[in-house]
Amino acid sequence: MENSEGKIWTGQFFVALINNFFLFIVYYALLTILPVYIINDLKGTEGQAGLAITIFMLSAIAVRPFAGKIIEKFGKRKILLISELFFCISTILYVFIDSLPLLFALRLFHGIWFSLVTTVLISIVNDIIPDSRKGAGIGYFSMSSNLAVVFGPFIALTTIQWSTFKILVIALATAVVIGYLFAFTLKVREYQVPRTTEKRARLTLHDLFEVKALPIAIIAGLTAFAYTSVMSFISVYAETKDVFEYVSLFFVVFAVAMMSVRPITGPLYDTKGPSAVLYPSFIFFAAGLFLLSTMDSAVTLFIAAVLIGVGYGSVVPCAQALAIQSAEKHRSAHATSTFWTFFDSGMALGAFSLGIVSAHWGYSSLYVVCGFVIIFTIVIYWLLLRGHKKVTYTDSASVQGK
């Protein structure tokens, strides 16, 4: 529940942050290790390994637009506890998977609950953070998922070296179950929907998307598209440049750079507005991508990691806070689902189309293209959101605490 003292690091915030960290640890650990498990243990092909990843993403994307309406109808607390319960069950079920059809079915099922639980958790933590510190608070909360990008693959790859896939799954399941138990301690604020929007004869665009969040959601989609070049292709690109052994350190440097600027970018957002953070962050991000296109050594790789960590690592939490604050409080779940629908779609489209770019023109050209995508994103941001200097909430419906 939102506090009135301007504090971010409350017990409630910490519980939500750790919970989110565990959820994304599972997501990124499985993203890293499932292709290896499919090829080596289930005797699948590289195409089937890619399909297992794609099914999860498509499942999550398909549910995102409906997440806000579902949360609005049944309440944040109920959806949190139900969706996280099924996320835990889904994680545990990987222990029993011994065939590709079962794995594909589980990935479809898992993606649904991942989509719902991550959407509702952001909506809940938004109420915990005081209005005056939204930029800093959302930034720190987002850092939990960004850190999982590093720790998830590290845990997965380290564990699999001395143990089995099933032991890894048991460890991941234990973590999310602990997070789920702590979720019961969260005090959730439920917002009553204005009567004018309570009853509708049929499903409308308003039920699926928050129109006020669409401009920044478009920005998020373009940003995610460009970042896919890092998530999906940095390893194979590094291998062609004979610096593959430094890829894991790339993400460590990325995380350190991101964390180093977070105490600056959050307060800057709250005092000077989103543009003060987004414009320089886009420039750092683009510079990092252009530098990757010329990579010829580990030093270049690490400098790019710093630039991308400062740039991309600042853009996403800032954009997410802006999306949430663009709507009335009772529509925060819709704004969140709109943001992540476009973000996830950008990732999926990027993984597909950039694979074609790399196949025809090479990885260096891929990073040049993505650098120009971010330059284009700056122009789109200027056209759509240049008027946003400092964001404050519009008061909305009365609330009832639970």
Side-chain angles (χ1 to χ4, degrees):
M1 183 169 291
E2 185 180 312
N3 66 80
S4 58
E5 300 176 2
K7 293 181 180 179
I8 295 176
W9 293 99
T10 62
Q12 291 282 290
F13 180 80
F14 189 74
V15 167
L17 183 144
I18 292 299
N19 212 343
N20 193 62
F21 180 65
F22 286 157
L23 292 171
F24 277 92
I25 281 284
V26 172
Y27 171 72
Y28 286 113
L30 291 176
L31 189 68
T32 302
I33 212 63
L34 269 181
V36 177
Y37 177 67
I38 289 171
I39 294 171
N40 294 342
D41 293 62
L42 299 183
K43 308 305 178 185
T45 65
E46 291 183 356
Q48 289 169 326
L51 181 60
I53 304 302
T54 303
I55 286 175
F56 185 98
M57 293 182 67
L58 292 177
S59 175
I61 291 170
V63 173
R64 287 286 189 196
F66 301 94
K69 185 65 177 177
I70 293 170
I71 294 166
E72 179 183 273
K73 182 175 179 61
F74 295 102
K76 297 176 186 176
R77 182 176 177 80
K78 185 177 293 185
I79 294 301
L80 171 68
L81 297 179
I82 292 174
S83 60
E84 190 162 359
L85 172 62
F86 280 105
F87 184 91
C88 291
I89 292 172
S90 299
T91 305
I92 294 169
L93 287 176
Y94 284 95
V95 173
F96 307 101
I97 295 299
D98 58 3
S99 69
L100 284 170
L102 285 176
L103 179 62
F104 293 150
L106 179 56
R107 293 295 285 172
L108 181 68
F109 184 73
H110 201 178
I112 293 171
W113 305 110
F114 176 78
S115 182
L116 281 174
V117 70
T118 51
T119 301
V120 73
L121 196 55
I122 294 171
S123 183
I124 289 171
V125 85
N126 176 59
D127 292 327
I128 296 172
I129 302 167
D131 286 350
S132 61
R133 305 202 62 190
K134 281 290 187 274
I138 294 295
Y140 285 123
F141 183 75
S142 299
M143 190 168 62
S144 63
S145 55
N146 290 335
L147 287 176
V149 173
V150 179
F151 286 102
F154 177 80
I155 291 170
L157 293 171
T158 302
T159 303
I160 213 71
Q161 286 179 3
W162 57 265
S163 190
T164 64
F165 176 76
K166 290 186 177 181
I167 294 298
L168 171 63
V169 170
I170 290 171
L172 295 174
T174 301
V176 291
V177 168
I178 291 172
Y180 177 63
L181 294 176
F182 276 104
F184 283 88
T185 68
L186 288 174
K187 297 176 181 177
V188 180
R189 172 170 288 192
E190 306 285 4
Y191 289 87
Q192 292 191 356
V193 183
R195 292 181 179 179
T196 53
T197 60
E198 274 185 339
K199 294 182 179 180
R200 293 180 182 271
R202 57 187 175 83
L203 202 63
T204 66
L205 182 66
H206 180 82
D207 294 319
L208 302 181
F209 297 100
E210 173 50 58
V211 176
K212 294 179 182 178
L214 283 176
I216 194 63
I218 292 170
I219 300 299
L222 291 169
T223 302
F225 179 95
Y227 184 65
T228 306
S229 65
V230 178
M231 280 297 297
S232 300
F233 302 102
I234 189 66
S235 296
V236 288
Y237 180 43
E239 192 169 18
T240 66
K241 297 293 184 177
D242 296 322
V243 292
F244 178 76
E245 63 268 29
Y246 300 106
V247 171
S248 58
L249 286 177
F250 171 91
F251 288 103
V252 173
V253 174
F254 171 95
V256 171
M258 175 188 65
M259 292 173 64
S260 298
V261 298
R262 191 55 49 80
I264 300 172
T265 56
L268 186 64
Y269 175 100
D270 292 324
T271 56
K272 300 295 184 180
S275 294
V277 177
L278 284 173
Y279 282 126
S281 297
F282 281 133
I283 292 171
F284 276 113
F285 188 16
L289 293 171
F290 285 130
L291 186 60
L292 276 181
S293 72
T294 65
M295 181 179 66
D296 56 2
S297 67
V299 174
T300 310
L301 180 70
F302 293 147
I303 295 174
V306 172
L307 293 172
I308 294 171
V310 171
Y312 173 82
S314 299
V315 167
V316 174
C318 178
Q320 189 174 335
L322 183 54
I324 292 172
Q325 287 182 288
S326 66
E328 289 81 2
K329 286 189 176 181
H330 75 277
R331 295 277 298 175
S332 64
H334 288 79
T336 299
S337 65
T338 299
F339 177 90
W340 286 111
T341 296
F342 278 76
F343 187 92
D344 291 343
S345 298
M347 290 284 284
L349 182 61
F352 174 76
S353 57
L354 293 178
I356 297 175
V357 172
S358 64
H360 285 80
W361 294 286
Y363 294 108
S364 293
S365 298
L366 178 150
Y367 288 105
V368 171
V369 168
C370 289
F372 279 111
V373 167
I374 296 302
I375 298 299
F376 175 70
T377 303
I378 296 175
V379 176
I380 298 299
Y381 175 79
W382 182 81
L383 291 173
L384 297 180
L385 291 147
R386 61 184 182 274
H388 286 262
K389 296 180 179 179
K390 188 175 181 181
V391 183
T392 54
Y393 270 121
T394 301
D395 287 336
S396 58
S398 59
V399 298
Q400 49 189 14
K402 285 190 178 181

